[in-house]
Amino acid sequence: IEAVQSKASRIDLLNASLRMTARHPLVGVGLGNFVVEYNKDRYDLGLSGHWEVTHNGYTQVSSELGVPGICLYIAVLYLCIRRLLRVRKGSRRIPELRTVNRLSSVLLLSYLAYAMSSIFTSNVHEFYFPLLTGLSVALTVAAEREIQLLSKKRMEVAQPAPLQQRPVAAGTAVYAG
């Protein structure tokens, strides 16, 4: 019975957050104000207070910050994951950047775990998102510079030195063969 009530409560919270997003699509109800707005709706219906968050980070962001807020939130998630994938791929075959490759793999896994857990938890106001974003940006900026420098050095080493060319005297015929 308790599990069924918990499920019903979570579905009600999810539906409430979607309704709030629909009612306030541009700016939402304000950062951290989902619970307050939810309880105002409950009191208007004659129900008692229920001081819980949405249990879904994405609908929490959309209800509190509106559609532009959720679009920006998802864009940051996507861009960080994409840059980490690029750094991971770029550093894969460079032995000097083995640590960078491992760090990008760990951050990528952490970001994916965060993105997946946000479907079932409301941890958007915690330190996880800013921490992962800051670490990802710092690593990708530094790693992309190092990848470029090491790639240039490898290209210079791989190219043979140009041969000294003797100028050909005017009027001299050069035959190939």
Side-chain angles (χ1 to χ4, degrees), residues 73-92:
Y73 181 75
I74 291 172
V76 169
L77 279 169
Y78 170 76
L79 290 173
C80 285
I81 289 171
R82 192 177 94 187
R83 286 187 76 185
L84 284 169
L85 282 168
R86 189 180 316 145
V87 165
R88 186 171 176 261
K89 183 179 179 183
S91 63
R92 184 179 306 150

Side-chain angles (χ1 to χ4, degrees), residues 77 80-81 84 107-115 129 132-133 136:
L77 279 169
C80 285
I81 289 171
L84 284 169
L107 276 173
L108 182 62
L109 182 62
S110 300
Y111 236 118
L112 291 172
Y114 173 80
F129 183 69
L132 286 173
T133 303
S136 297

Side-chain angles (χ1 to χ4, degrees), residues 27 42 59 103 131 142 144 147 154 160:
V27 294
R42 287 183 61 84
T59 61
L103 284 173
L131 176 72
E144 285 170 353
I147 290 169
R154 286 182 172 203

Side-chain angles (χ1 to χ4, degrees), residues 136-164:
S136 297
V137 169
L139 177 70
T140 55
V141 167
E144 285 170 353
R145 287 182 192 158
E146 290 298 316
I147 290 169
Q148 281 182 338
L149 288 173
L150 288 170
S151 295
K152 276 185 184 178
K153 284 182 183 179
R154 286 182 172 203
M155 292 297 283
E156 290 170 0
V157 170
Q159 288 180 339
L163 297 173
Q164 291 289 337

Side-chain angles (χ1 to χ4, degrees), residues 6-163:
S6 175
K7 179 182 175 185
S9 173
R10 287 174 187 256
I11 290 173
D12 182 49
L13 287 165
L14 178 67
N15 289 332
S17 65
L18 294 172
R19 281 192 307 272
M20 278 183 217
T21 301
R23 276 189 297 191
H24 307 280
L26 290 179
V27 294
V29 295
L31 193 61
N33 286 328
F34 168 78
V35 176
V36 175
E37 192 70 25
Y38 176 62
N39 278 297
K40 272 202 266 183
D41 290 348
R42 287 183 61 84
Y43 290 137
D44 290 345
L45 295 172
L47 301 171
S48 62
H50 187 75
W51 297 91
E52 287 194 51
V53 291
T54 64
H55 296 291
N56 184 313
Y58 300 105
T59 61
Q60 183 177 3
V61 170
S62 70
S63 65
E64 292 180 357
L65 301 177
V67 175
I70 189 64
C71 290
L72 289 172
Y73 181 75
I74 291 172
V76 169
L77 279 169
Y78 170 76
L79 290 173
C80 285
I81 289 171
R82 192 177 94 187
R83 286 187 76 185
L84 284 169
L85 282 168
R86 189 180 316 145
V87 165
R88 186 171 176 261
K89 183 179 179 183
S91 63
R92 184 179 306 150
R93 293 197 174 107
I94 303 174
E96 298 91 344
L97 297 179
R98 187 176 312 135
T99 303
V100 169
N101 185 271
R102 289 178 180 161
L103 284 173
S104 63
S105 296
V106 167
L107 276 173
L108 182 62
L109 182 62
S110 300
Y111 236 118
L112 291 172
Y114 173 80
M116 293 299 294
S117 72
S118 290
I119 296 170
F120 307 104
T121 63
S122 294
N123 55 13
V124 295
H125 297 306
E126 302 290 332
F127 67 93
Y128 310 116
F129 183 69
L131 176 72
L132 286 173
T133 303
L135 289 173
S136 297
V137 169
L139 177 70
T140 55
V141 167
E144 285 170 353
R145 287 182 192 158
E146 290 298 316
I147 290 169
Q148 281 182 338
L149 288 173
L150 288 170
S151 295
K152 276 185 184 178
K153 284 182 183 179
R154 286 182 172 203
M155 292 297 283
E156 290 170 0
V157 170
Q159 288 180 339
L163 297 173

